[in-house]
Amino acid sequence: MADTNVNGGTRQATGKLKSVESLDQTNEMERGLSNRHVQFIAIGGTIGTGLFLGSGKSLALTGPSIVFVYILVGVIMFFLMRAIGEMMYRDPSQHTFINFITRYLGNGWGHFAGWTYWAALVLLGMTEITAVSTYFITFFATSASASLVSVNLIAVKVFGEVEFWFSMIKITLICAMIATAVVMIVIGYHYPAVQIHGVDHVSPAGHAGFDNLFANFSFAPNGWMAFLMSFQMVFFAYEMIEFVGVTVSKAVNEIIVRVLIFYVGALVAIMCIVPWTSFKPNEDGSFASPFIMVFQYAGLNWASALVFFVVITAASSALNSLLYSAGRHLYQLSEVSPNPTLNKLGKVSDRKVPARAILVSAALILLSPIVNAIPGVSGAFVLFSSASSAVFLFIYILTLMAHRKYRRSADFIPDGFVMPAWKVLNTVAIVFFVFIYLTLFLADDTRNSAIAGLVWLVGFGVFSMLRERYRSRDLNAALEHKERLDGLIGWRLLVGWLL
């Protein structure tokens, strides 16, 4: 005995998938990622530019307690991944978790979530280019982005191979930095005052040791307001981690381990070398990369160039994944759109990639340098990141609500990749994401983005719901008219036969 899902695939009564092919018969795009690609994309997906660029400001805000913030946010993101993983296990034919919002919350919220998530991906792509342009010339950042567009247009296997090596580079640098810190601590390394690249003042002399972690320790050294603000910064570092959730269940379960190794391990290693009190903003409000500080304190001045290279790699990796995801989201939105113009984007190229959708998404992302060039526009990185954080939070909350509906639906399979204690953990995650959104109102440079997010939620949300309501009304009216017409034709045939 087997049950049939909405895509025509079948599962046996045990809840186990009979065949992926049966769920994938209508898919025009190529599934060309190998297990090696999937595993390293999953690992690299947890490491973005936030760790390399944004951790300096986070450390300055809260000191060593930032470790607890990274762990807490990581645990909540793990709950989200388990919810996505459970639904993806139920229907692995889906290329995006957004479709579950449509299935379990209705077409109105599905329309809102689909277009909102695509817009968020574009905003996040603009953020990555802005971040890289801070350290490199805009022309180079734009040229690198154009190259990634070509990678996504060639074939999915090429995307997977490029992303594999991007992940390898990021992981290698983090491991090298942690190893360098361990050696410095073991030998009791002392360093003189140094002029760090990217810092407009001389950094003080010091030593490597665990005592740097606890010197002048305070859970909220700059006040509780600064501590609360650190949550939104850490959340931004975790954005797009849901890309891992659509790979394999094992990758989801290993997220906590990766968080401990790559985020917490790196932060602890940094603070053992550089006292958290040494992280001071420049006159323009920017912070130097903590990775560069560690290597320069170790006397490895040449490593600064290596860190710059890895920052470009991390941003390129994020952009590569963003283009991959944004192109496929726009492709699926175009396929179901009643607009003939948008329908043209729902085409797959001869190489079995959504080329038109990728090109449109890339063109919008590459507008970032133009936005930055507008006189009077400042804090572009904060503006884009907080705006994208706002809309990402809406999507995450809707996803968790869809998961709640799934658990109560006939689709639920008890022996699948089940999220334990789902009622408690799902609720905790929703409340936490609402809390993150509220922290956006605490700072002047993120308050406008939080307000804009609410305006988008109300405006576009109401539009999406009304759109679905009128479409349903028109569809029902058309069906009733057809039934009346069929009935009239039937009576005429009957009368004609009798006569």
Side-chain angles (χ1 to χ4, degrees), residues 59-78:
L59 290 169
L61 276 175
T62 63
S65 61
I66 194 64
V67 172
F68 300 106
V69 178
Y70 267 92
I71 292 174
L72 180 58
V73 177
V75 169
I76 298 298
M77 296 306 288
F78 174 69

Side-chain angles (χ1 to χ4, degrees), residues 75-113:
V75 169
I76 298 298
M77 296 306 288
F78 174 69
F79 295 162
L80 174 66
M81 291 300 94
R82 282 303 303 251
I84 293 175
E86 181 175 357
M87 292 186 290
M88 289 298 297
Y89 180 89
R90 178 61 179 85
D91 187 0
S93 68
Q94 299 299 327
H95 294 279
T96 168
F97 64 94
I98 299 296
N99 290 342
F100 296 112
I101 297 177
T102 302
R103 182 183 300 182
Y104 297 112
L105 299 184
N107 292 328
W109 284 118
H111 180 266
F112 171 83

Side-chain angles (χ1 to χ4, degrees), residues 52-61 134-135 196-201 222 233 276-290 292-293:
F52 300 106
L53 298 179
S55 54
K57 185 175 181 180
S58 300
L59 290 169
L61 276 175
T134 303
Y135 291 84
I196 303 292
H197 292 303
V199 179
D200 56 13
H201 54 270
N222 294 310
M233 300 181 63
W276 65 271
T277 53
S278 297
F279 291 98
K280 304 290 184 182
N282 295 320
E283 291 185 1
D284 61 358
S286 63
F287 286 80
S289 169
I292 291 178
M293 297 180 75

Side-chain angles (χ1 to χ4, degrees), residues 63-314:
S65 61
I66 194 64
V67 172
F68 300 106
V69 178
Y70 267 92
I71 292 174
L72 180 58
V73 177
V75 169
I76 298 298
M77 296 306 288
F78 174 69
F79 295 162
L80 174 66
M81 291 300 94
R82 282 303 303 251
I84 293 175
E86 181 175 357
M87 292 186 290
M88 289 298 297
Y89 180 89
R90 178 61 179 85
D91 187 0
S93 68
Q94 299 299 327
H95 294 279
T96 168
F97 64 94
I98 299 296
N99 290 342
F100 296 112
I101 297 177
T102 302
R103 182 183 300 182
Y104 297 112
L105 299 184
N107 292 328
W109 284 118
H111 180 266
F112 171 83
W115 285 105
T116 298
Y117 190 68
W118 176 75
L121 292 174
V122 171
L123 277 173
L124 192 55
M126 297 175 76
T127 302
E128 295 295 342
I129 293 182
T130 302
V132 175
S133 298
T134 303
Y135 291 84
F136 298 88
I137 59 175
T138 302
F139 173 78
F140 183 83
T142 306
S143 300
S145 302
S147 300
L148 293 175
V149 175
S150 300
V151 167
N152 276 270
L153 292 176
I154 296 173
V156 69
K157 288 183 179 180
V158 176
F159 160 81
E161 195 63 31
V162 170
E163 199 57 29
F164 169 82
W165 288 107
F166 279 162
S167 298
M168 182 71 77
I169 291 170
K170 291 185 289 185
I171 292 168
T172 301
L173 177 71
I174 293 174
C175 293
M177 192 276 294
I178 294 176
T180 300
V182 169
V183 172
M184 293 173 70
I185 293 171
V186 170
I187 66 176
Y189 187 83
H190 286 71
Y191 51 83
V194 180
Q195 180 65 54
I196 303 292
H197 292 303
V199 179
D200 56 13
H201 54 270
V202 176
S203 297
H207 70 284
F210 287 106
D211 57 310
N212 287 330
L213 280 172
F214 307 103
N216 301 316
F217 177 81
S218 173
F219 209 79
N222 294 310
W224 288 104
M225 188 70 71
F227 177 75
L228 293 177
M229 287 171 58
S230 68
F231 279 89
Q232 57 174 278
M233 300 181 63
V234 173
F235 171 77
F236 177 68
Y238 280 108
E239 279 180 347
M240 279 297 291
I241 200 174
E242 69 273 7
F243 189 67
V244 178
V246 297
T247 54
V248 290
S249 301
K250 185 179 180 180
V252 173
N253 285 331
E254 291 175 351
I255 285 179
I256 291 297
V257 176
R258 297 190 193 105
V259 168
L260 291 174
I261 294 175
F262 297 121
Y263 279 100
V264 177
L267 290 172
V268 170
I270 288 169
M271 287 186 288
C272 285
I273 309 304
V274 187
W276 65 271
T277 53
S278 297
F279 291 98
K280 304 290 184 182
N282 295 320
E283 291 185 1
D284 61 358
S286 63
F287 286 80
S289 169
F291 284 75
I292 291 178
M293 297 180 75
V294 168
F295 286 123
Q296 283 206 244
Y297 279 139
L300 305 174
N301 293 328
W302 57 268
S304 299
L306 176 62
V307 174
F308 280 132
F309 170 71
V310 175
V311 168
I312 276 286
T313 299

Side-chain angles (χ1 to χ4, degrees), residues 368-437:
S368 180
I370 298 176
V371 173
N372 287 325
I374 299 175
V377 177
S378 60
F381 180 79
V382 175
L383 176 63
F384 288 145
S385 65
S386 57
S388 62
S389 294
V391 290
F392 266 95
L393 284 164
F394 296 152
I395 299 302
Y396 292 164
I397 291 172
L398 287 173
T399 301
L400 289 165
M401 292 173 65
H403 175 256
R404 297 179 74 90
K405 288 280 189 177
Y406 160 75
R407 289 301 295 259
R408 296 186 175 99
S409 72
D411 291 342
F412 172 65
I413 48 176
D415 57 347
F417 186 59
V418 178
M419 180 182 184
W422 68 273
K423 289 183 179 180
V424 175
L425 300 185
N426 186 295
T427 303
V428 168
I430 291 176
V431 171
F432 188 82
F433 287 139
V434 172
F435 159 72
I436 293 291
Y437 195 91

